[in-house]
Amino acid sequence: GCEWQGRSVVNNPGRKSGILMLQDTASPFVIVHELGHSLGLGHSNLLRCSDGSSDGPWGRACKPIEYGGTIDVMGNIATDSPLSAYHQWRLGLIDDSQVRQIWRNEIVTLNSIDTDGPTRALFLRDSERTYWIEYRPVSTRYKAGLAIFRTDPPNEAFEASAPSDIWMLNLGDYKYSTRPTGATGSMTLPIGKTATLFGGRISLTAFANQNPDSVRVSISIEPDI
């Protein structure tokens, strides 16, 4: 009848040590989540804005929701979906050469998160904000489309965050809840839809490709003056 918990020290990737503690649980999901911390991963969190926007400055309207990025096992809802591109990159499963840095208008072929290829993730910087973009094919958890994560930490005190935490944008009809149902809807940006990051300079649209394991992503960036 005790409350279960799992805890782990966030380790450095590649370091052969770590501490993991489980209390009153043998859930494979909890074990994998805590092993993720031992391997250097932070949480998959959610950026949730009270004004209904998908992105915005950290502050009164846009808050960090710990665990809310339930797209992968580093959230708090059991899933067998692949780890985010950022987490895979930290583990060395995605090579630096497979991360395309975008600084100008470009159309890029982006491989799906679970398919090996020349480009597995896109990295964008907009002022102090940093973004990782990946393509996810349709699953029982979400629609086919782009998943976008912020990696710049909240400005406000968020004591639960680790340097390797990420914050997922809600680009669809995703709803997170701490109730047993956990989460509903899809967080991905559907094919053919456009998302503009809150700075207003950068817009992204994914288009279907002949190869179903990839999409073409059009990135529009206004000059930063």
Side-chain angles (χ1 to χ4, degrees):
C2 297
E3 181 179 359
W4 67 267
Q5 68 171 341
R7 298 179 68 85
S8 178
V9 173
V10 178
N11 206 350
N12 293 319
R15 186 179 176 188
K16 296 180 180 179
S17 65
I19 299 172
L20 186 154
M21 180 182 73
L22 301 172
Q23 174 181 300
D24 293 323
T25 182
S27 163
F29 164 72
V30 176
I31 293 172
V32 171
H33 177 103
E34 300 306 330
L35 283 173
H37 288 320
S38 293
L39 293 170
L41 305 184
H43 284 147
S44 292
N45 305 303
L46 174 67
L47 188 158
R48 184 161 65 188
C49 300
S50 58
D51 59 4
S53 58
S54 59
D55 191 14
W58 294 117
R60 183 172 298 177
C62 295
K63 302 286 187 181
I65 307 299
E66 189 181 15
Y67 299 115
T70 60
I71 200 168
D72 68 14
V73 74
M74 297 315 294
N76 67 345
I77 295 177
T79 176
D80 58 1
S81 300
L83 282 171
S84 70
Y86 178 73
H87 284 147
Q88 291 194 43
W89 172 74
R90 285 189 60 85
L91 292 176
L93 301 175
I94 291 180
D95 188 75
D96 288 353
S97 64
Q98 295 176 300
V99 181
R100 181 75 168 266
Q101 297 190 45
I102 306 296
W103 303 99
R104 59 184 181 183
N105 294 343
E106 217 170 326
I107 298 178
V108 180
T109 297
L110 178 63
N111 290 90
S112 71
I113 190 64
D114 52 2
T115 302
D116 196 18
T119 304
R120 301 276 304 281
L122 307 179
F123 175 81
L124 291 166
R125 180 180 293 277
D126 185 9
S127 187
E128 296 85 13
R129 300 171 292 276
T130 49
Y131 297 87
W132 282 67
I133 297 96
E134 61 192 50
Y135 167 56
R136 293 195 170 234
V138 66
S139 79
T140 57
R141 302 268 308 152
Y142 40 76
K143 300 175 183 177
L146 300 181
I148 301 180
F149 301 87
R150 287 263 297 269
T151 53
D152 56 297
N155 293 327
E156 61 189 61
F158 186 51
E159 60 186 32
S161 67
S164 51
D165 274 18
I166 56 176
W167 288 268
M168 182 183 74
L169 305 189
N170 181 7
L171 302 166
D173 56 357
Y174 174 75
K175 293 182 179 179
Y176 173 71
S177 171
T178 56
R179 295 178 180 178
T181 53
T184 59
S186 175
M187 67 290 289
T188 54
L189 178 68
I191 305 297
K193 298 289 186 179
T194 299
T196 300
L197 305 182
F198 89 85
R201 295 180 49 245
I202 302 175
S203 298
L204 303 100
T205 311
F207 299 96
N209 205 8
Q210 288 184 340
N211 181 353
D213 293 328
S214 65
V215 289
R216 291 178 299 112
V217 182
S218 175
I219 305 103
S220 174
I221 301 180
E222 295 181 5
D224 184 359
I225 57 173

